[in-house]
Amino acid sequence: LDTITNDGTDITLDSSNDIVIDAAGGNIEFKDAGTTQLTLDMDTTASVQIIKLGVNSDDLVFQQYDGNEVVRIADDRRLYFFDKGGEYIVGDGTDLSIVSGNDINIPANVGLTFGDDGEKIEGDGTDLTIAGNNINLTATADVVIPANVGVTFGSGEKIEGDSTDLTITSGA
């Protein structure tokens, strides 16, 4: 049995099937005390469906069933994950920044690719591989290699230091 009830405070729509709101090409607006809070713009002439907040300082928040915030699109044009104090992605029309209080984790065997697959940084949980044609290191300070860790060329030649002596070894 489909019903519409009004208990004096709430209006309840109860249907055994879908509840359809058809605005015939117009918008669906949600208001609070006469002020539009949220608009669903279904005008398909622009080939987009728009969810628009009606109050300038409001954020759009998606929560899980338990009320925990999972994504926030903030009024400051940042896409926050978990809550506004956590990680976020922000762009200024030129640069895209990923901001985190800790590490940005790229899973093992998933690389970070530059220049249409031309250059790639990838780790497998043990080794880090940097691949590309020429790999140019433009350091503005010293490149520090810890003591007793060397630089190996191919499978035979190696340069290594122990903080007192420098050793160069060769397979030939």
Side-chain angles (χ1 to χ4, degrees):
L1 178 66
D2 297 335
T3 60
I4 299 175
T5 58
N6 182 345
D7 67 1
T9 57
D10 295 328
I11 296 175
T12 302
L13 304 174
D14 188 3
S15 175
S16 58
N17 290 300
D18 295 340
I19 296 175
V20 177
I21 300 173
D22 187 345
N27 297 335
I28 298 171
E29 295 179 350
F30 296 88
K31 295 183 177 187
D32 182 24
T35 301
T36 301
Q37 300 294 315
L38 181 72
T39 301
L40 303 178
D41 183 346
M42 313 297 190
D43 184 356
T44 58
T45 59
S47 300
V48 296
Q49 307 302 317
I50 298 171
I51 299 173
K52 180 181 177 184
L53 297 174
V55 179
N56 184 34
S57 61
D58 281 357
D59 295 349
L60 182 60
V61 176
F62 295 88
Q63 293 181 342
Q64 290 183 291
Y65 67 93
D66 60 3
N68 285 325
E69 185 175 311
V70 291
V71 174
R72 175 182 293 260
I73 302 170
D75 188 56
D76 59 5
R77 295 193 171 135
R78 294 178 176 180
L79 176 60
Y80 290 90
F81 297 91
F82 297 107
D83 61 41
K84 198 166 182 175
E87 301 88 9
Y88 62 89
I89 298 173
V90 62
D92 64 6
T94 303
D95 297 319
L96 179 68
S97 298
I98 300 172
V99 180
S100 174
N102 291 308
D103 295 336
I104 297 172
N105 185 24
I106 299 173
N109 301 312
V110 174
L112 185 59
T113 305
F114 304 88
D116 299 325
D117 294 334
E119 301 86 28
K120 187 174 187 177
I121 300 172
E122 184 173 337
D124 64 6
T126 304
D127 297 321
L128 181 66
T129 302
I130 302 174
N133 289 329
N134 292 325
I135 299 172
N136 301 310
L137 179 61
T138 308
T140 58
D142 292 345
V143 176
V144 178
I145 299 173
N148 302 311
V149 174
V151 177
T152 303
F153 300 90
S155 59
E157 297 85 24
K158 184 175 185 177
I159 301 172
E160 185 175 322
D162 64 5
S163 295
T164 55
D165 296 316
L166 183 63
T167 305
I168 301 174
T169 58
S170 174

